[in-house]
Amino acid sequence: MRSLVVRLDSFGDVLLAGPAVRAVAAGSAHVTLWCGPRGAPAARLLPGVDEVLEWEAPWEGVDPPPVDADDVARVTERLRAGAHDTAVVLTSFHQSPLPAALLLRLAGVRHIGADCADAPGRLLDVRHHRRPGRHEAEAALDTALATGFAPPRGDTGRLKVLPGPDTAALTGNGPYVVVHPGASAPARAWSPDKCAEAVLALADEGHRVVVTGTGGERALTRYVSGAVAVDLGGRTDPRTLTGVLAGADVVVCGNTGPAHLAAAVGVPVVSLYSPVVPAERWAPYGVDSILLGDQRAPCAGTRARVCPVPGHPCLEGVTAQDVVAAVGKLMEAA
């Protein structure tokens, strides 16, 4: 059986689909993961994925492309060429699977399952209803199960990625703590000054610190690293970042993709967690973690990308010593 898993949004969302992908792979001869450009790098890290179909959907993301009939026709033909027997459409609680399901139906996919709050008409064969309080990783696996895919025997349902490379040449030798100061949305980021203070405090406590970030975050990582940390800003692609995080004692970051990547390699996380999305759904999954930040701040549940409250109170009350203490607790528990 040829199967397709759909997860069209971001890097972290695709990582959280990993347990569901493995369940689909256990019951399939071939698995395609249909994802967007932000999620494709994560898709290529997941066990069980045979092929990645990348397409930017006009109903996903912060700045989606306009609807283009020719583009929609092209992706529909690509889906048809895949000759998929079944599809599992994975979405977050606030998204609809129905646009993707319509294209899948037009592409000839015979059996389609999804978590769906809206009446699906003839677009779905399995209409799953999300159980309350489920983490996004659990909700995705629930949808795969409802569509007929059970995880392989012995699979714990935790996040996993393919092994990363040896990155000692980048990080240097000896134990270290990773600080990742960037975030996919400004509302989820601790301020650069606070990050720099935390890096200095960790170094004063005797920790070797490695700071990570994307190519567009080089100025940020340089500032946060100061004179005491290894600055890897712009020096890691997703696979290399996997290796860097896997070698860390603890990862310190916001509720953004690298938090889920750290969880996927089994490393504890100090999560500087802005409650714009609920922690029960999006906190680091399956690893020891400590959430810092006011989870009852006025921004809670708003899904805001830019903090709607002056002073960013959910995170700015966190101190460098709070981070040092949290890192220490996680290292003691390891």
Side-chain angles (χ1 to χ4, degrees), residues 5 17-25 86-90 111 113-115 126 128 137-151:
V5 178
V21 169
R22 297 197 304 271
V24 174
T86 189
V88 180
V89 185
L90 302 177
H111 188 74
D115 174 4
V126 175
H128 175 65
E138 297 167 338
L141 183 55
D142 290 345
T143 302
L145 283 164
T147 309
F149 295 103

Side-chain angles (χ1 to χ4, degrees), residues 213-220 234:
T214 67
E217 294 170 337
R218 287 189 180 96
L220 172 63

Side-chain angles (χ1 to χ4, degrees), residues 7 91-95 115 117 130 136 277-278 281-282 303:
R7 187 79 215 211
T91 53
S92 297
F93 69 98
H94 60 279
Q95 298 167 331
D115 174 4
R130 179 181 296 236
E136 289 294 312
V277 292
R281 294 184 176 127
W282 296 102
R303 303 208 312 269

Side-chain angles (χ1 to χ4, degrees), residues 167-173 175-179 199 207-213 221-222 224-233 235 244:
T167 55
L170 288 172
T171 63
N173 294 318
Y176 57 90
V177 172
V178 165
V179 174
V199 166
H207 299 288
R208 208 161 62 84
V209 183
V210 172
V211 178
T212 58
T221 62
R222 184 165 54 248
V224 168
S225 298
V228 298
V230 177
D231 178 10
L232 295 185
R235 298 176 64 192
V244 171

Side-chain angles (χ1 to χ4, degrees), residues 24-266:
V24 174
S28 306
H30 184 278
V31 174
T32 298
L33 184 49
W34 180 19
C35 58
R38 294 177 301 144
R44 296 184 176 95
L45 298 176
L46 293 181
V49 175
D50 298 299
E51 180 183 2
V52 175
L53 192 163
E54 183 179 333
W55 184 65
E56 190 170 14
W59 61 85
E60 289 290 352
V62 179
D63 185 23
V67 176
D68 182 307
D70 291 336
D71 189 39
V72 171
R74 283 191 294 269
V75 77
T76 303
E77 285 308 307
R78 289 172 68 191
L79 291 166
R80 185 182 298 279
H84 303 103
D85 303 291
T86 189
V88 180
V89 185
L90 302 177
T91 53
S92 297
F93 69 98
H94 60 279
Q95 298 167 331
S96 172
L98 298 182
L102 174 60
L103 297 192
L104 292 169
R105 199 61 98 196
L106 291 172
V109 179
R110 296 191 299 273
H111 188 74
I112 305 171
D115 174 4
C116 188
D118 301 316
R122 294 183 179 274
L123 297 183
L124 298 179
D125 301 287
V126 175
R127 181 191 181 191
H128 175 65
H129 293 278
R130 179 181 296 236
R131 292 156 54 190
R134 299 294 272 173
H135 192 280
E136 289 294 312
E138 297 167 338
L141 183 55
D142 290 345
T143 302
L145 283 164
T147 309
F149 295 103
R153 181 172 299 186
D155 193 313
T156 63
R158 293 176 65 169
L159 306 188
K160 293 182 183 179
V161 289
L162 299 171
D166 183 340
T167 55
L170 288 172
T171 63
N173 294 318
Y176 57 90
V177 172
V178 165
V179 174
H180 186 90
S184 56
R188 304 184 189 189
W190 209 24
S191 71
D193 287 344
K194 291 276 190 176
C195 290
E197 289 171 10
V199 166
L200 186 59
L202 286 165
D204 287 344
E205 196 68 18
H207 299 288
R208 208 161 62 84
V209 183
V210 172
V211 178
T212 58
T214 67
E217 294 170 337
R218 287 189 180 96
L220 172 63
T221 62
R222 184 165 54 248
Y223 175 73
V224 168
S225 298
V228 298
V230 177
D231 178 10
L232 295 185
R235 298 176 64 192
T236 57
D237 59 21
R239 185 167 176 270
T240 307
L241 182 61
T242 300
V244 171
L245 298 183
D249 291 324
V250 177
V251 173
V252 180
C253 65
N255 51 325
T256 192
H260 303 304
L261 188 55
V265 296

